[in-house]
Amino acid sequence: MGLLKDILSINKKPESCRDYGTCGCAHTPSIPKHVFIELSGACNLDCTFCAYSWSSRRRGRMDLGLLEKILKDLRKLEPIDYIMFSALGEPTLHPEFDEACRMVHRAGYHLVVTTNGTRLRPEMVSLPIDELFISFNTPSPKAYEMKHSAVPLPKLIRTIRDFIDAVPLFDTSIYLFTENRLHYPDAGPLIRPDDPASARHLQKLLREWNPTIEILSPIPDTIEIQPHVYARLKPLTLWANCNPPAHIEIEEAVSIPAATCNYYKHHINVLCDGEVSVCCGDYDASISLGNVTTEPLRKIFLRKYETPDLAVHSICRRCKGKIAS
């Protein structure tokens, strides 16, 4: 009972840790603060920068009975900052997406949804979503080719415009990639925050959603398009160092104390078939902690204590390795 007592005592005083990339929490994992749930393992895009393009996992979708079990199991792992519908697949492809959102709301959790935006509908603003992340990412026709999308770029822009014109009552963030020529020299013209030409190009794009908006260089990381709707810039980075371009070499990490990895401490990923992986970077559950269809989620999560050094896992060694060019 000693370890369990320590765990329960930690749970009584949770720390806020939204930015798990720079989290300084000293304690070992006690509860998952961020729970990613993969409603759909399928996606209607095939982006070159996403693990979906090289994952061999079967493309299924989560049964809502399984989602209900997960939500019940989470009661024994509270408090939780948020639940996010996200993973390799596009959650809005799930035929019962709307009901899944309502289930999370009824369970009392803060719901974040990440989407590629292609299937947004104006009536979705009535869903009990607290935050919506739109992975627009590639802001120009040339860069948009990286998505291998059957949806023309102008149509996607109109879809997002029609959605935000419906005045969402929840925060909506539209994410856009900034340039990273070191890792992706052939990625096409992405945004350079300190470049006036990029500012003019971004202004032209954002005026499709707000005709009065003005963008100057240097471009800020966050731009308010209208109340509750923001454009947010982020660098185009490697996905957990797992599929680098040919010219990139990665020196794998030798030792990774579990307590130093914020994803490991605070993050849990439930795939559409119930398999539980340590984080969203482990997109194929190569480090499977168990399956929630056969075990309580709390029992599965506590298995994290059994791995004091994450360097035993190849995906962790690459994720925390050094990139050389």
Side-chain angles (χ1 to χ4, degrees):
M1 289 294 290
L3 177 59
L4 179 58
K5 183 177 180 181
D6 290 343
I7 293 169
L8 294 176
S9 67
I10 292 174
N11 286 353
K12 292 179 182 178
K13 193 175 182 181
E15 299 179 49
S16 178
C17 177
R18 183 57 184 265
D19 186 0
Y20 45 79
T22 57
C23 162
C25 302
H27 61 74
T28 52
S30 57
I31 54 172
K33 294 186 177 183
H34 320 126
V35 180
F36 279 30
I37 296 176
E38 183 185 64
L39 278 185
S40 169
C43 187
N44 56 344
L45 302 182
D46 190 21
C47 304
T48 58
F49 49 81
C50 177
Y52 186 84
S53 64
W54 63 87
S55 168
S56 59
R57 180 160 52 89
R58 187 176 66 85
R59 316 302 190 192
R61 64 172 180 250
M62 181 173 288
D63 183 84
L64 292 195
L66 177 56
L67 176 61
E68 183 177 13
K69 179 185 185 299
I70 293 168
L71 295 173
K72 288 181 178 179
D73 283 0
L74 287 175
R75 290 297 183 194
K76 296 183 179 181
L77 285 166
E78 291 182 340
I80 293 165
D81 285 355
Y82 62 85
I83 289 175
M84 178 182 282
F85 286 158
S86 178
L88 285 191
E90 168 56 40
T92 61
L93 287 175
H94 196 291
E96 297 178 280
F97 171 77
D98 293 11
E99 177 58 22
C101 293
R102 296 186 187 103
M103 289 173 64
V104 174
H105 177 72
R106 289 195 295 267
Y109 294 111
H110 184 98
L111 176 62
V112 184
V113 174
T114 181
T115 174
N116 59 36
T118 59
R119 293 172 54 85
L120 289 174
R121 298 169 279 117
E123 58 269 24
M124 285 174 62
V125 300
S126 65
L127 291 176
I129 298 171
D130 296 289
E131 296 178 72
L132 184 75
F133 295 167
I134 303 175
S135 297
F136 189 85
N137 294 339
T138 48
S140 69
K142 178 64 176 177
Y144 192 67
E145 293 176 5
M146 299 174 67
K147 289 191 171 183
H148 299 153
S149 176
V151 180
L153 179 58
K155 182 178 180 180
L156 177 58
I157 291 173
R158 289 195 303 272
T159 297
I160 294 174
R161 182 189 63 209
D162 292 345
F163 175 78
I164 64 177
D165 280 350
V167 191
L169 300 179
F170 42 85
D171 286 341
T172 299
S173 294
I174 302 172
Y175 284 94
L176 299 159
F177 280 149
T178 57
E179 189 177 55
N180 180 355
R181 289 193 183 276
L182 176 62
H183 297 161
Y184 292 94
D186 301 318
L190 298 181
I191 296 168
R192 284 182 288 157
D194 58 349
D195 176 41
S198 285
R200 291 192 296 270
H201 173 80
L202 181 59
Q203 177 175 278
K204 181 180 179 181
L205 170 65
L206 297 188
R207 281 186 174 178
E208 295 283 345
W209 302 322
N210 179 350
T212 65
I213 203 163
E214 293 188 14
I215 307 297
L216 300 175
S217 178
I219 305 170
D221 291 337
T222 299
I223 302 164
E224 185 176 35
I225 300 174
Q226 65 183 50
H228 301 289
V229 182
Y230 308 89
R232 301 189 190 277
L233 272 59
K234 64 177 182 179
L236 175 60
T237 57
L238 300 175
W239 185 295
N241 295 349
C242 293
N243 188 43
H247 69 287
I248 295 288
E249 294 182 3
I250 296 175
E251 180 183 342
E252 295 187 355
V254 176
S255 178
I256 313 166
T260 66
C261 179
N262 300 312
Y263 291 87
Y264 180 82
K265 287 192 295 184
H266 302 312
H267 193 101
I268 198 165
N269 202 48
V270 186
L271 302 180
C272 61
D273 61 356
E275 204 73 18
V276 179
S277 60
V278 292
C279 75
C280 61
D282 186 18
Y283 45 83
D284 277 339
S286 63
I287 314 170
S288 176
L289 299 173
N291 195 299
V292 74
T293 62
T294 58
E295 293 182 285
L297 189 55
R298 184 175 182 278
K299 181 179 179 180
I300 295 171
F301 182 76
L302 291 181
R303 290 199 179 109
K304 287 195 172 191
Y305 283 98
E306 298 172 7
T307 309
D309 193 319
L310 299 177
V312 299
H313 305 300
S314 61
I315 192 171
C316 294
R317 293 197 301 270
R318 293 184 66 79
C319 180
K320 297 299 182 180
K322 295 179 181 179
I323 299 174
S325 60

